[in-house]
Amino acid sequence: MRYLVVDDSATMRRIVVNSLQRIGVTDIVEASDGVEALAKLDGSIGFIITDWNMPNMGGVELAKAVRGRDDAKGIPILMVTARSVRDDILTALEAGVNNYIVKPFTPQVLKEKIDALIAAPAVG
Amino acid sequence: MAVDRALDVLYEGEAALRQVDRELHALRPAAPAVAEPPSYQPALIALPNVLQRASAEIHQLLSSLRDSRTALEQSTVERLQLTQAKLSEVSSTTEMATAGILDGLDRAQQLVDRLDSEEGKDAATAADIRNTLRDELFTITGALQFQDITSQQLKHSSTLLLEMEGKLADVLQIIDPSMYGTRSADIAAALAGPQAFDSRATIANPEGRQAVADEIFKR
């Protein structure tokens, strides 16, 4: 399964990719915003890890767009963001995000969330 | 007799007054044939209206400046305090993260030293040390997430400063529209784009904030 990591911060993409590699994930595609992510969203992508605040298209808009696409609406979406206000988290949930990690995170938390989403029934 | 004397005095008085009047009349300059009004006369006539309008405009300008000053004071003081708080948080976040990274490097260094001392002795112990070393190095990588947080805090501070510049440009525009007329529009355009940062981004209490997210997504 291919993972799509979306974040406008190159440092954060590197940290997330590093964390994924640490838990055995090697097939990874990167995008710097929602627009680029949608362009890279083909049938091979099985998991999306996205930031919230990004230029051009943010993570919430990306989640809504993914849920609106028949060929992608079942892909699990994990949001990794600095936003941690309750209303923001509810907004992400309503947009179709399946789970949520608050920055700064530990690789342990990332693994737990990915494992839980992969084990869960398909969304969408 | 007394009445006659009084009448004489009255007549003499009247004659004297007539003489004075004649003399005064002779002293007057001859009037010009056609009286030409001076050229500045219409401007003088309009002067009170001009002054009244100028006064009204100055009053309005002062009123605008007073309003702007009040708004400026309120917004800039608030924003300056917020900017100061954000920059202070960036400073402490950087310091905390740097301390964490240095601690991790110290531990990693000790593990390398232990590996050296264990060389050729116990393979299992050496393997344990290597695994611990990998964990430490990975923790250091994770600690670098502070860069993303401080980057967002700095972007927020930058936006606050830009907003203050816009307020100042608004006030200066009242005084000199030709010089500052487009400045506030430029700043407004710069602020109009989507914010690619979280104004509340923080490195503090990640466990507590993660617990809030977990509670919501558990439903």
Side-chain angles (χ1 to χ4, degrees):
Chain A
M1 179 168 61
R2 180 170 281 182
Y3 284 65
L4 177 59
V5 175
V6 193
D7 201 310
D8 58 327
S9 161
T11 304
M12 277 312 300
R13 284 203 306 275
R14 200 164 161 183
I15 290 170
V16 173
V17 167
N18 205 324
S19 302
L20 288 172
Q21 287 169 341
R22 177 90 174 150
I23 60 173
V25 175
T26 53
D27 197 357
I28 304 163
V29 183
E30 296 180 39
S32 60
D33 60 38
V35 174
E36 193 184 340
L38 286 175
K40 290 185 173 176
L41 196 61
D42 55 22
S44 70
I45 303 293
F47 202 104
I48 298 172
I49 298 173
T50 183
D51 183 24
W52 182 313
N53 293 104
M54 294 179 287
N56 304 317
M57 182 189 280
V60 167
E61 290 75 23
L62 172 64
K64 288 177 182 171
V66 170
R67 293 291 170 251
R69 269 173 60 162
D70 286 340
D71 63 336
K73 63 183 178 185
I75 299 175
I77 300 175
L78 176 60
M79 183 163 272
V80 180
T81 175
R83 296 180 88 113
S84 54
V85 176
R86 180 174 289 272
D87 285 350
D88 287 342
I89 300 169
L90 286 169
T91 300
L93 180 66
E94 286 163 12
V97 168
N98 300 103
N99 216 323
Y100 200 96
I101 293 180
V102 172
K103 291 176 187 173
F105 64 92
T106 61
Q108 194 66 31
V109 170
L110 183 68
K111 185 176 185 328
E112 282 170 15
K113 301 297 178 193
I114 290 173
D115 287 348
L117 285 178
I118 290 173
V123 294
Chain B
M1 283 294 289
V3 173
D4 290 343
R5 180 66 194 144
L7 282 172
D8 286 344
V9 170
L10 191 61
Y11 291 141
E12 283 169 13
E14 186 184 355
L17 283 172
R18 283 181 193 282
Q19 182 63 34
V20 169
D21 185 52
R22 273 196 298 276
E23 293 301 327
L24 284 174
H25 192 74
L27 284 172
R28 278 183 198 154
V34 179
E36 287 290 336
S39 60
Y40 52 82
Q41 201 171 17
L44 284 177
I45 291 166
L47 189 59
N49 287 337
V50 171
L51 288 173
Q52 202 171 10
R53 278 203 307 277
S55 168
E57 282 179 19
I58 289 168
H59 185 75
Q60 196 177 358
L61 178 67
L62 288 173
S63 176
S64 295
L65 282 173
R66 266 195 299 272
D67 292 347
S68 301
R69 191 193 65 184
T70 308
L72 194 65
E73 278 175 356
Q74 285 171 348
S75 62
T76 51
V77 168
E78 202 174 278
R79 279 171 172 74
L80 276 172
Q81 286 170 345
L82 198 53
T83 306
Q84 195 273 336
K86 281 285 158 195
L87 292 176
S88 174
E89 198 176 349
V90 169
S91 175
S92 63
T93 300
T94 308
E95 194 175 348
M96 277 167 57
T98 306
I101 290 166
L102 287 172
D103 288 348
L105 287 171
D106 283 348
R107 288 192 298 270
Q109 187 62 49
Q110 287 165 12
L111 289 166
V112 171
D113 291 345
R114 277 188 62 199
L115 270 177
D116 282 345
S117 65
E118 293 288 332
E119 197 174 355
K121 294 181 186 171
D122 184 1
T125 305
D128 281 348
I129 295 170
R130 277 196 295 273
N131 282 336
T132 311
L133 179 58
R134 284 192 195 94
D135 288 343
E136 284 295 350
L137 293 174
F138 191 65
T139 305
I140 293 169
T141 306
L144 293 171
Q145 288 177 71
F146 86 91
Q147 189 275 337
D148 181 58
I149 306 289
T150 52
S151 166
Q152 297 191 53
Q153 290 168 339
L154 288 172
K155 281 176 188 167
H156 185 211
S157 300
S158 172
T159 303
L160 292 170
L161 290 171
L162 204 56
E163 284 172 3
M164 279 189 281
E165 188 187 350
K167 296 279 181 194
L168 284 169
D170 286 345
V171 174
L172 292 171
Q173 192 181 348
I174 296 169
I175 298 164
D176 190 349
S178 63
M179 183 166 265
Y180 298 101
T182 56
R183 187 73 193 108
S184 54
D186 292 345
I187 294 165
L191 290 168
Q195 292 186 341
F197 63 86
D198 175 17
S199 60
R200 288 171 287 204
T202 178
I203 208 163
N205 189 24
E207 295 86 2
R209 292 183 292 122
Q210 183 63 53
V212 174
D214 289 346
E215 185 259 323
I216 291 171
F217 274 86
K218 206 180 284 179
R219 294 173 189 170

